[in-house]
Short mmCIF file of all heavy atoms in Angstrom, two decimals:
data_model
loop_
_atom_site.label_atom_id
_atom_site.label_comp_id
_atom_site.label_asym_id
_atom_site.label_seq_id
_atom_site.Cartn_x
_atom_site.Cartn_y
_atom_site.Cartn_z
N PHE A 1 -36.16 3.22 -18.99
CA PHE A 1 -35.12 4.01 -18.39
C PHE A 1 -35.48 4.53 -17.07
O PHE A 1 -36.67 4.75 -16.78
CB PHE A 1 -34.77 5.23 -19.35
CG PHE A 1 -34.20 4.83 -20.69
CD1 PHE A 1 -35.09 4.45 -21.74
CD2 PHE A 1 -32.84 4.76 -20.93
CE1 PHE A 1 -34.55 4.06 -22.96
CE2 PHE A 1 -32.30 4.40 -22.15
CZ PHE A 1 -33.19 4.01 -23.16
N VAL A 2 -34.55 4.74 -16.21
CA VAL A 2 -34.75 5.21 -14.83
C VAL A 2 -33.92 6.43 -14.55
O VAL A 2 -32.68 6.43 -14.89
CB VAL A 2 -34.50 4.07 -13.84
CG1 VAL A 2 -34.73 4.69 -12.36
CG2 VAL A 2 -35.34 2.90 -14.07
N TYR A 3 -34.50 7.46 -13.95
CA TYR A 3 -33.68 8.57 -13.44
C TYR A 3 -34.01 8.79 -11.97
O TYR A 3 -35.17 9.02 -11.63
CB TYR A 3 -34.00 9.86 -14.20
CG TYR A 3 -33.22 11.03 -13.69
CD1 TYR A 3 -31.80 11.00 -13.85
CD2 TYR A 3 -33.77 12.09 -13.13
CE1 TYR A 3 -31.05 12.08 -13.40
CE2 TYR A 3 -33.03 13.16 -12.64
CZ TYR A 3 -31.65 13.14 -12.76
OH TYR A 3 -30.89 14.19 -12.26
N ASN A 4 -32.95 8.63 -11.14
CA ASN A 4 -33.06 8.80 -9.73
C ASN A 4 -32.78 10.21 -9.38
O ASN A 4 -31.61 10.60 -9.42
CB ASN A 4 -32.14 7.77 -9.00
CG ASN A 4 -32.29 7.81 -7.51
OD1 ASN A 4 -32.62 8.79 -6.92
ND2 ASN A 4 -32.05 6.68 -6.85
N PRO A 5 -33.74 11.01 -8.97
CA PRO A 5 -33.47 12.43 -8.67
C PRO A 5 -32.61 12.68 -7.45
O PRO A 5 -32.09 13.73 -7.27
CB PRO A 5 -34.89 13.03 -8.57
CG PRO A 5 -35.72 11.89 -8.14
CD PRO A 5 -35.16 10.64 -8.86
N GLU A 6 -32.52 11.67 -6.58
CA GLU A 6 -31.68 11.80 -5.42
C GLU A 6 -30.25 11.55 -5.69
O GLU A 6 -29.34 12.35 -5.33
CB GLU A 6 -32.17 10.89 -4.25
CG GLU A 6 -33.48 11.34 -3.68
CD GLU A 6 -33.86 10.48 -2.49
OE1 GLU A 6 -33.03 9.68 -2.02
OE2 GLU A 6 -35.01 10.67 -1.93
N SER A 7 -29.91 10.43 -6.41
CA SER A 7 -28.50 10.13 -6.66
C SER A 7 -28.10 10.74 -8.03
O SER A 7 -26.89 10.74 -8.32
CB SER A 7 -28.36 8.62 -6.80
OG SER A 7 -29.12 8.05 -7.92
N ARG A 8 -29.03 11.29 -8.80
CA ARG A 8 -28.80 11.86 -10.15
C ARG A 8 -28.27 10.78 -11.09
O ARG A 8 -27.53 11.13 -11.99
CB ARG A 8 -27.77 13.06 -9.98
CG ARG A 8 -28.12 14.06 -8.92
CD ARG A 8 -29.32 14.81 -9.23
NE ARG A 8 -29.24 15.71 -10.40
CZ ARG A 8 -30.22 16.50 -10.86
NH1 ARG A 8 -31.45 16.35 -10.37
NH2 ARG A 8 -30.05 17.28 -11.91
N ARG A 9 -28.68 9.60 -10.89
CA ARG A 9 -28.21 8.54 -11.78
C ARG A 9 -29.27 8.29 -12.82
O ARG A 9 -30.53 8.14 -12.53
CB ARG A 9 -28.01 7.25 -10.96
CG ARG A 9 -27.50 6.07 -11.81
CD ARG A 9 -27.48 4.82 -11.03
NE ARG A 9 -27.10 3.65 -11.81
CZ ARG A 9 -27.42 2.39 -11.57
NH1 ARG A 9 -28.09 2.09 -10.48
NH2 ARG A 9 -27.03 1.48 -12.39
N PHE A 10 -28.83 8.15 -14.07
CA PHE A 10 -29.68 7.84 -15.22
C PHE A 10 -29.19 6.51 -15.84
O PHE A 10 -27.99 6.37 -16.14
CB PHE A 10 -29.62 8.95 -16.25
CG PHE A 10 -30.57 8.74 -17.46
CD1 PHE A 10 -31.81 9.31 -17.48
CD2 PHE A 10 -30.12 8.00 -18.53
CE1 PHE A 10 -32.60 9.14 -18.60
CE2 PHE A 10 -30.91 7.79 -19.66
CZ PHE A 10 -32.16 8.40 -19.65
N TYR A 11 -30.15 5.59 -16.02
CA TYR A 11 -29.68 4.26 -16.54
C TYR A 11 -30.84 3.50 -17.14
O TYR A 11 -32.04 3.89 -16.93
CB TYR A 11 -29.02 3.39 -15.47
CG TYR A 11 -29.95 3.07 -14.30
CD1 TYR A 11 -30.61 1.87 -14.23
CD2 TYR A 11 -30.13 3.96 -13.25
CE1 TYR A 11 -31.43 1.58 -13.11
CE2 TYR A 11 -30.96 3.71 -12.22
CZ TYR A 11 -31.62 2.52 -12.15
OH TYR A 11 -32.43 2.25 -11.10
N GLN A 12 -30.57 2.52 -17.89
CA GLN A 12 -31.59 1.64 -18.51
C GLN A 12 -31.65 0.32 -17.82
O GLN A 12 -30.56 -0.30 -17.56
CB GLN A 12 -31.34 1.46 -20.04
CG GLN A 12 -32.42 0.55 -20.72
CD GLN A 12 -32.09 0.37 -22.25
OE1 GLN A 12 -31.20 1.04 -22.77
NE2 GLN A 12 -32.85 -0.45 -22.85
N LEU A 13 -32.79 -0.21 -17.56
CA LEU A 13 -32.89 -1.54 -16.95
C LEU A 13 -32.43 -2.56 -17.98
O LEU A 13 -32.77 -2.46 -19.15
CB LEU A 13 -34.33 -1.83 -16.55
CG LEU A 13 -34.90 -1.05 -15.35
CD1 LEU A 13 -36.33 -1.55 -15.07
CD2 LEU A 13 -34.08 -1.16 -14.09
N ASP A 14 -31.67 -3.47 -17.51
CA ASP A 14 -31.11 -4.56 -18.32
C ASP A 14 -32.10 -5.64 -18.50
O ASP A 14 -32.50 -6.32 -17.48
CB ASP A 14 -29.83 -5.05 -17.79
CG ASP A 14 -29.12 -5.99 -18.74
OD1 ASP A 14 -29.75 -6.47 -19.67
OD2 ASP A 14 -27.93 -6.27 -18.47
N PRO A 15 -32.61 -5.96 -19.68
CA PRO A 15 -33.56 -7.07 -19.85
C PRO A 15 -33.04 -8.40 -19.36
O PRO A 15 -33.81 -9.23 -19.03
CB PRO A 15 -33.81 -7.10 -21.42
CG PRO A 15 -33.48 -5.74 -21.85
CD PRO A 15 -32.33 -5.29 -20.95
N LYS A 16 -31.73 -8.56 -19.37
CA LYS A 16 -31.14 -9.84 -18.86
C LYS A 16 -31.46 -10.03 -17.37
O LYS A 16 -31.56 -11.12 -16.94
CB LYS A 16 -29.64 -9.78 -19.03
CG LYS A 16 -29.23 -9.84 -20.53
CD LYS A 16 -27.69 -9.87 -20.67
CE LYS A 16 -27.29 -9.88 -22.13
NZ LYS A 16 -25.81 -9.89 -22.30
N ASP A 17 -31.61 -8.91 -16.64
CA ASP A 17 -31.94 -9.02 -15.19
C ASP A 17 -33.34 -9.63 -15.01
O ASP A 17 -33.62 -10.15 -13.96
CB ASP A 17 -31.84 -7.63 -14.53
CG ASP A 17 -30.46 -7.08 -14.52
OD1 ASP A 17 -29.48 -7.93 -14.61
OD2 ASP A 17 -30.28 -5.86 -14.42
N MET A 18 -34.19 -9.53 -15.99
CA MET A 18 -35.54 -10.05 -15.89
C MET A 18 -35.64 -11.52 -16.25
O MET A 18 -36.66 -12.14 -16.08
CB MET A 18 -36.47 -9.20 -16.81
CG MET A 18 -36.58 -7.74 -16.49
SD MET A 18 -37.24 -7.39 -14.86
CE MET A 18 -35.67 -6.94 -13.96
N ALA A 19 -34.53 -12.02 -16.90
CA ALA A 19 -34.60 -13.41 -17.36
C ALA A 19 -34.88 -14.37 -16.20
O ALA A 19 -35.67 -15.36 -16.39
CB ALA A 19 -33.29 -13.70 -18.10
N GLN A 20 -34.21 -14.19 -15.10
CA GLN A 20 -34.39 -15.10 -13.98
C GLN A 20 -35.84 -15.04 -13.39
O GLN A 20 -36.41 -16.00 -13.09
CB GLN A 20 -33.40 -14.75 -12.85
CG GLN A 20 -33.42 -15.73 -11.65
CD GLN A 20 -33.07 -17.19 -12.07
OE1 GLN A 20 -32.26 -17.30 -12.97
NE2 GLN A 20 -33.64 -18.16 -11.39
N ILE A 21 -36.40 -13.85 -13.38
CA ILE A 21 -37.77 -13.66 -12.90
C ILE A 21 -38.71 -14.34 -13.90
O ILE A 21 -39.67 -15.04 -13.50
CB ILE A 21 -38.09 -12.18 -12.79
CG1 ILE A 21 -37.26 -11.50 -11.70
CG2 ILE A 21 -39.60 -11.98 -12.48
CD1 ILE A 21 -37.48 -10.03 -11.51
N GLU A 22 -38.47 -14.19 -15.19
CA GLU A 22 -39.34 -14.85 -16.17
C GLU A 22 -39.27 -16.40 -16.05
O GLU A 22 -40.27 -17.06 -16.17
CB GLU A 22 -38.92 -14.39 -17.53
CG GLU A 22 -39.80 -14.97 -18.69
CD GLU A 22 -41.25 -14.53 -18.64
OE1 GLU A 22 -41.52 -13.50 -17.91
OE2 GLU A 22 -42.02 -15.16 -19.24
N LYS A 23 -38.09 -16.87 -15.78
CA LYS A 23 -37.87 -18.33 -15.65
C LYS A 23 -38.63 -18.81 -14.41
O LYS A 23 -39.28 -19.83 -14.45
CB LYS A 23 -36.34 -18.59 -15.52
CG LYS A 23 -36.07 -20.16 -15.40
CD LYS A 23 -34.57 -20.32 -15.22
CE LYS A 23 -34.23 -21.86 -15.12
NZ LYS A 23 -32.75 -22.04 -14.94
N ARG A 24 -38.55 -18.06 -13.31
CA ARG A 24 -39.29 -18.39 -12.08
C ARG A 24 -40.76 -18.38 -12.33
O ARG A 24 -41.54 -19.19 -11.78
CB ARG A 24 -38.85 -17.47 -10.98
CG ARG A 24 -39.35 -17.81 -9.57
CD ARG A 24 -38.94 -16.80 -8.55
NE ARG A 24 -37.56 -16.52 -8.55
CZ ARG A 24 -37.06 -15.31 -8.76
NH1 ARG A 24 -37.84 -14.29 -8.89
NH2 ARG A 24 -35.74 -15.11 -8.74
N ARG A 25 -41.20 -17.34 -13.07
CA ARG A 25 -42.68 -17.20 -13.36
C ARG A 25 -43.23 -18.48 -14.04
O ARG A 25 -44.24 -18.95 -13.75
CB ARG A 25 -42.88 -15.95 -14.16
CG ARG A 25 -44.37 -15.67 -14.37
CD ARG A 25 -44.53 -14.50 -15.32
NE ARG A 25 -44.19 -14.83 -16.68
CZ ARG A 25 -45.02 -15.43 -17.51
NH1 ARG A 25 -46.25 -15.75 -17.21
NH2 ARG A 25 -44.62 -15.75 -18.76
N LYS A 26 -42.47 -18.90 -15.10
CA LYS A 26 -42.87 -20.08 -15.91
C LYS A 26 -42.87 -21.27 -15.02
O LYS A 26 -43.76 -22.15 -15.16
CB LYS A 26 -41.99 -20.21 -17.08
CG LYS A 26 -42.15 -19.12 -18.11
CD LYS A 26 -41.21 -19.31 -19.33
CE LYS A 26 -41.51 -18.21 -20.40
NZ LYS A 26 -40.57 -18.35 -21.53
N GLY A 27 -41.89 -21.41 -14.15
CA GLY A 27 -41.81 -22.58 -13.23
C GLY A 27 -42.99 -22.65 -12.30
O GLY A 27 -43.53 -23.66 -12.04
N ALA A 28 -43.34 -21.44 -11.77
CA ALA A 28 -44.52 -21.38 -10.88
C ALA A 28 -45.82 -21.71 -11.59
O ALA A 28 -46.74 -22.41 -10.98
CB ALA A 28 -44.65 -19.97 -10.30
N LEU A 29 -45.94 -21.38 -12.80
CA LEU A 29 -47.11 -21.68 -13.63
C LEU A 29 -47.24 -23.17 -13.87
O LEU A 29 -48.32 -23.77 -13.75
CB LEU A 29 -47.08 -20.94 -14.95
CG LEU A 29 -48.31 -21.17 -15.86
CD1 LEU A 29 -49.59 -20.73 -15.19
CD2 LEU A 29 -48.20 -20.35 -17.16
N ILE A 30 -46.08 -23.81 -14.14
CA ILE A 30 -46.10 -25.24 -14.32
C ILE A 30 -46.46 -26.00 -13.02
O ILE A 30 -47.28 -26.92 -12.97
CB ILE A 30 -44.65 -25.74 -14.76
CG1 ILE A 30 -44.43 -25.19 -16.17
CG2 ILE A 30 -44.60 -27.25 -14.77
CD1 ILE A 30 -43.06 -25.49 -16.70
N LYS A 31 -45.98 -25.48 -11.88
CA LYS A 31 -46.30 -26.03 -10.62
C LYS A 31 -47.80 -25.89 -10.31
O LYS A 31 -48.43 -26.83 -9.81
CB LYS A 31 -45.49 -25.38 -9.53
CG LYS A 31 -45.74 -25.94 -8.10
CD LYS A 31 -45.43 -27.35 -7.99
CE LYS A 31 -45.56 -27.83 -6.56
NZ LYS A 31 -45.25 -29.33 -6.44
N PHE A 32 -48.36 -24.76 -10.65
CA PHE A 32 -49.74 -24.56 -10.46
C PHE A 32 -50.60 -25.57 -11.18
O PHE A 32 -51.56 -26.20 -10.66
CB PHE A 32 -50.15 -23.12 -10.88
CG PHE A 32 -51.65 -22.95 -11.02
CD1 PHE A 32 -52.47 -22.68 -9.90
CD2 PHE A 32 -52.27 -23.08 -12.23
CE1 PHE A 32 -53.81 -22.55 -9.99
CE2 PHE A 32 -53.65 -22.87 -12.36
CZ PHE A 32 -54.46 -22.67 -11.31
N LEU A 33 -50.24 -25.82 -12.49
CA LEU A 33 -51.02 -26.74 -13.33
C LEU A 33 -50.89 -28.14 -12.80
O LEU A 33 -51.86 -28.96 -13.02
CB LEU A 33 -50.49 -26.60 -14.73
CG LEU A 33 -50.70 -25.29 -15.48
CD1 LEU A 33 -50.03 -25.27 -16.87
CD2 LEU A 33 -52.18 -25.00 -15.58
N SER A 34 -49.84 -28.51 -12.12
CA SER A 34 -49.66 -29.87 -11.65
C SER A 34 -50.08 -30.11 -10.19
O SER A 34 -50.04 -31.19 -9.70
CB SER A 34 -48.22 -30.30 -11.82
OG SER A 34 -47.32 -29.52 -10.97
N SER A 35 -50.55 -29.02 -9.55
CA SER A 35 -50.84 -29.05 -8.10
C SER A 35 -52.34 -29.32 -7.87
O SER A 35 -53.16 -29.04 -8.79
CB SER A 35 -50.48 -27.78 -7.41
OG SER A 35 -49.09 -27.59 -7.42
#
């Protein structure tokens, strides 16, 4: 969860937003192994 004391916004990070980063991470690992 994140609370921004300037904007007074409280919210939870969406795990779906991390899916693309995780996909990119796995792709980079595969590239490392084949380089």
Side-chain angles (χ1 to χ4, degrees):
F1 295 85
V2 177
Y3 180 64
N4 185 328
E6 289 189 4
S7 66
R8 310 295 290 176
R9 182 188 175 205
F10 182 95
Y11 60 99
Q12 180 180 353
L13 291 183
D14 189 345
K16 293 181 181 179
D17 294 339
M18 300 297 103
Q20 186 62 33
I21 296 178
E22 182 65 17
K23 181 179 180 181
R24 189 184 307 126
R25 186 187 71 84
K26 291 181 179 179
L29 182 57
I30 292 174
K31 180 62 176 177
F32 166 81
L33 294 173
S34 63
S35 296

